[in-house]
Amino acid sequence: MRTGDTADIVIVGAGIMGVSTAYHLARRRAGRIVVLERDEVCSGSTALASGGIRHQYANRIGIELTRHSIETYERFEDEFGVDPRFRQHGYLILVTTEVEQAQTERNVALQRSLGVDVALLSPDETRRRFPYLATDDLRGATYSPRDGYADPYLATTAIAARARDLGVTIRTGCEVVGFARTPEGVEGVVTRDGPLSAPVVVIATGAWSGVLGALAGVDIPVAPLRRSKFITAPFPFDRIPEATPFVIDPHLGISLRREGAGLLLGIGRREEAGSFSTALDWSLAEPLVERAVHRAPVLADAQLMRTWSGLYEMTPDQTGIVSAVPGVAGLHVIAGFSGHGFMHGPIAGQLMAELIAEGRATTLDAVPLALDRFARGETSLEPLTFT
């Protein structure tokens, strides 16, 4: 990087949040935009995500984010020239306890009030529609047919490519190690290759955003949480159909969906201390198999083939941040979506671009995503986060 190198906007991080922000800023002709990435485009948490996209949240902001974002995924190939393999097979969220049932009824009422097509199913209806599931211990389930999942790598790299087409510079292998600060604001970043001056800097580094915030001298309450995925050998479609929904069992702490000829199963350790380790955790295989076979007995014949681990970027209220940093002119944060970053990346990037270019988000009310909500004590926990 050359001494005296400058940009109008620097974005740190080339996952879904960073490249989406860059793309939407470029569409607004916001000036010279440079994205800096320590590794490669879509090489962090985004690449390891399950790719789920759902409307089913307990808070208005989560529902509204998906309402806007899903439209991008539905027209993705027309806008970005790449098929992201968006499969709208629905989301099925299982309900086990009386407390969960009461919360679910409130959730469904809110979702329907915002125009979401969602059904509250009885155990018998759940079993009739999805006969591979054991439902005797369930109180029911919720099902939204427009939900589904897409390929995070295909989608993120396609957005990055279109951003480049619009003039965005993406520098990979370029690690940010510091920030140029004044008492009032930010003046750029310092990389291992040298400084880059810019009056606007966006931190979009997922689970590492708290670390970047510390380098800038600000508190960004984002912490990593490991989540593990397992994939099975090919499993017969006549036993679990190709068009099966993304099944979430919050009580058992597992998820299930098709991944090509196999099945993708998810599990985590809810009480695990946060760290940046993505070490493989085969010790989770035993509890995963036990719980998965309990919920879908046909899986007793499935064979686990491989596993990987990724990082959720958790905030205290399990809701993302799209915000200017109070008291630090020019510094912005887009991070902390607590396992929901891929699904909300397209609209979150648009909101950040609006905030930078127009001074406020205009597509929807983004106040619930403001960083200073934590200091104000104005948070509302999003319970439909599955860790």
Side-chain angles (χ1 to χ4, degrees):
M1 196 171 293
R2 301 180 304 274
T3 301
D5 208 356
T6 64
D8 294 299
I9 302 168
V10 169
I11 300 167
V12 187
I16 187 71
M17 294 294 170
V19 300
S20 176
T21 299
Y23 167 71
H24 285 288
L25 284 167
R27 289 189 62 189
R28 287 168 170 75
R29 301 180 180 178
R32 185 180 180 222
I33 302 157
V34 177
V35 179
L36 304 178
E37 168 56 49
R38 179 183 60 186
D39 299 306
E40 300 295 329
V41 173
C42 194
S43 58
S45 297
T46 304
L48 302 170
S50 296
I53 300 160
R54 61 178 166 92
H55 290 88
Q56 296 184 63
Y57 285 90
N59 285 304
R60 176 181 294 268
I61 187 64
I63 301 166
E64 290 184 336
L65 288 169
T66 300
R67 285 181 59 211
H68 287 275
S69 195
I70 202 168
E71 294 177 358
T72 296
Y73 285 114
E74 288 175 333
R75 66 169 188 271
F76 196 93
E77 189 168 7
D78 291 338
E79 186 168 351
F80 297 102
V82 171
D83 176 7
R85 298 178 184 168
F86 184 28
R87 304 294 182 255
Q88 288 178 286
H89 299 324
Y91 249 78
L92 183 73
I93 301 178
L94 307 180
V95 182
T96 303
T97 68
E98 184 176 350
V99 172
E100 290 173 358
Q101 178 72 12
Q103 178 69 60
T104 294
E105 291 173 357
R106 293 192 294 271
N107 297 345
V108 168
L110 176 62
Q111 292 156 15
R112 287 174 173 169
S113 75
L114 296 173
V116 177
D117 179 6
V118 58
L120 184 57
L121 307 180
S122 69
D124 287 344
E125 178 68 5
T126 304
R127 182 170 52 250
R128 186 186 68 78
R129 296 179 68 167
F130 312 104
Y132 50 88
L133 295 178
T135 62
D136 290 347
D137 60 340
L138 296 181
R139 290 179 176 268
T142 58
Y143 175 69
S144 182
R146 195 178 174 193
D147 296 348
Y149 53 89
D151 186 308
Y153 185 80
L154 289 177
T156 303
T157 53
I159 296 171
R162 189 52 52 88
R164 282 188 172 114
D165 291 343
L166 294 173
V168 172
T169 298
I170 301 178
R171 296 177 178 169
T172 58
C174 186
E175 183 177 4
V176 171
V177 296
F179 290 75
R181 281 287 313 267
T182 68
E184 293 77 26
V186 68
E187 294 184 333
V189 300
V190 180
T191 77
R192 293 197 183 280
D193 301 319
L196 175 57
S197 298
V200 175
V201 177
V202 181
I203 295 174
T205 50
W208 292 267
S209 295
V211 175
L212 269 290
L215 290 177
V218 299
D219 179 25
I220 301 174
V222 172
L225 180 65
R226 182 170 58 164
R227 177 84 176 175
S228 294
K229 306 295 178 185
F230 291 78
I231 195 162
T232 74
F235 195 80
F237 289 113
D238 61 350
R239 304 189 74 184
I240 295 184
E242 182 177 8
T244 194
F246 201 140
V247 180
I248 305 290
D249 191 327
H251 192 70
L252 294 180
I254 61 170
S255 62
L256 159 70
R257 72 164 175 82
R258 272 287 179 181
E259 177 66 20
L263 294 156
L264 181 65
L265 307 174
I267 189 172
R269 299 185 186 276
R270 290 171 174 167
E271 306 305 321
E272 183 175 57
S275 79
F276 291 101
S277 171
T278 55
L280 302 185
D281 192 354
W282 276 103
S283 67
L284 282 170
E286 183 176 349
L288 173 64
V289 169
E290 179 182 354
R291 298 174 200 180
V293 171
H294 169 81
R295 185 55 62 212
V298 297
L299 291 178
D301 298 328
Q303 179 183 359
L304 296 182
M305 293 290 289
R306 65 184 181 94
T307 183
W308 68 91
S309 298
L311 298 176
Y312 280 5
E313 42 177 310
M314 304 300 294
T315 61
D317 60 0
Q318 302 182 159
T319 297
I321 301 167
V322 179
S323 180
V325 175
V328 186
L331 186 61
H332 299 75
V333 180
I334 178 169
F337 279 76
S338 303
H340 311 146
F342 174 68
M343 73 177 77
H344 290 155
I347 184 59
Q350 181 177 328
L351 296 174
M352 178 55 76
E354 292 169 355
L355 185 62
I356 293 170
E358 303 170 35
R360 66 184 183 91
T362 55
T363 298
L364 59 82
D365 178 10
V367 170
L369 306 175
L371 179 60
D372 64 1
R373 71 182 188 266
F374 301 104
R376 297 194 313 265
E378 297 177 1
T379 60
S380 178
L381 181 70
E382 175 50 69
L384 289 182
T385 295
F386 310 117
T387 58

